[in-house]
Amino acid sequence: MKSLKSAVMDSHKDSQNIEVAIQKGKEKIYPTKNTIGEKVRIQMEAILQDRLADSIDLQTQAKQAHWNVKGPNFIALHELFDKIAEESEEYPDLIAERIVQFGGVAEGTVQVVANRTNLPVYPLVLMTGREQIEAFSHTLAVYGELIRTTIKQAAELDDPATADIFTQISRSVDKNLWFIEAHDQAEK
């Protein structure tokens, strides 16, 4: 019987081997009867992996803002950031499930997300509600643009179901950006 340390090390080696294979373009694709061509599924999976990382990062940035907001609008912003974090929990799930439907492996660990996200780094020390609004609205705007680009990519690859998933996400992100920006617009 292997020791716990040995089992953990073997598991870590397996993870490293899988990661090396992925980086070399030898992704593990599971067989599926999905009629979308394998080439399209592989192309969409690569795009989806990036959006999965971005979506997980978005959710953690919303929580970062929620936990650390200060100032006279504290309760309103605290609740709004939390509402956005809760709504954004759905995005990674939708995306990860689509990856798996294509025969891929959803890569959503913290380590992968940190290396793959395209979102701006969220500042850790923001003191005012206005600073939180500015930082998080920038994150939402960048994320929204990435989502709209993915809608176009899915359409170009003739994958309307994936485009529809991202259209759904886009509507939610645009609405949340409006809610966040409305706080700052009222003060100007």
Side-chain angles (χ1 to χ4, degrees):
M1 183 174 203
K2 288 184 179 180
S3 70
L4 180 59
K5 182 177 179 181
S6 176
V8 169
M9 292 304 291
D10 286 349
S11 175
H12 182 69
K13 287 177 187 172
D14 288 344
S15 295
Q16 286 177 326
N17 291 339
I18 291 168
E19 185 62 28
V20 168
I22 289 169
Q23 289 174 1
K24 290 182 178 178
K26 298 178 183 172
E27 298 180 51
K28 185 167 188 172
I29 299 292
Y30 290 96
T32 178
K33 290 183 175 48
N34 188 312
T35 60
I36 296 174
E38 183 177 19
K39 183 178 178 184
V40 170
R41 285 186 285 123
I42 289 170
Q43 289 175 300
M44 279 309 311
E45 183 194 348
I47 296 165
L48 288 164
Q49 295 289 4
D50 286 344
R51 294 303 78 79
L52 177 59
D54 298 337
S55 297
I56 294 168
D57 191 12
L58 176 72
Q59 184 181 3
T60 62
Q61 288 192 32
K63 283 308 250 187
Q64 182 70 23
H66 164 75
W67 294 323
N68 293 291
V69 67
K70 307 274 188 271
N73 295 321
F74 165 77
I75 196 66
L77 289 172
H78 180 75
E79 290 175 357
L80 179 57
F81 289 134
D82 197 38
K83 179 181 174 283
I84 292 170
E86 286 176 16
E87 281 184 21
S88 66
E89 283 178 16
E90 184 179 342
Y91 313 156
D93 202 43
L94 289 168
I95 296 166
E97 287 175 355
R98 190 67 176 159
I99 291 167
V100 176
Q101 290 165 18
F102 286 161
V105 175
E107 302 168 9
T109 65
V110 172
Q111 295 86 357
V112 171
V113 170
N115 286 320
R116 188 174 267 152
T117 186
N118 295 287
L119 297 184
V121 173
Y122 199 82
L124 296 179
V125 181
L126 297 174
M127 299 308 293
T128 68
R130 175 172 256 150
E131 290 172 327
Q132 294 286 356
I133 289 167
E134 183 58 36
F136 194 65
S137 64
H138 178 64
T139 292
L140 277 172
V142 170
Y143 182 77
E145 183 60 28
L146 291 166
I147 296 303
R148 283 186 288 281
T149 298
T150 303
I151 294 167
K152 291 176 192 168
Q153 291 169 320
E156 288 169 2
L157 290 170
D158 196 27
D159 182 3
T162 300
D164 185 56
I165 289 168
F166 285 96
T167 300
Q168 175 185 345
I169 293 171
S170 178
R171 281 192 298 269
S172 177
V173 170
D174 288 347
K175 179 186 71 170
N176 287 328
L177 179 57
W178 167 48
F179 287 167
I180 295 289
E181 287 182 327
H183 279 273
D184 197 34
Q185 292 167 344
E187 295 177 14
K188 290 184 180 180

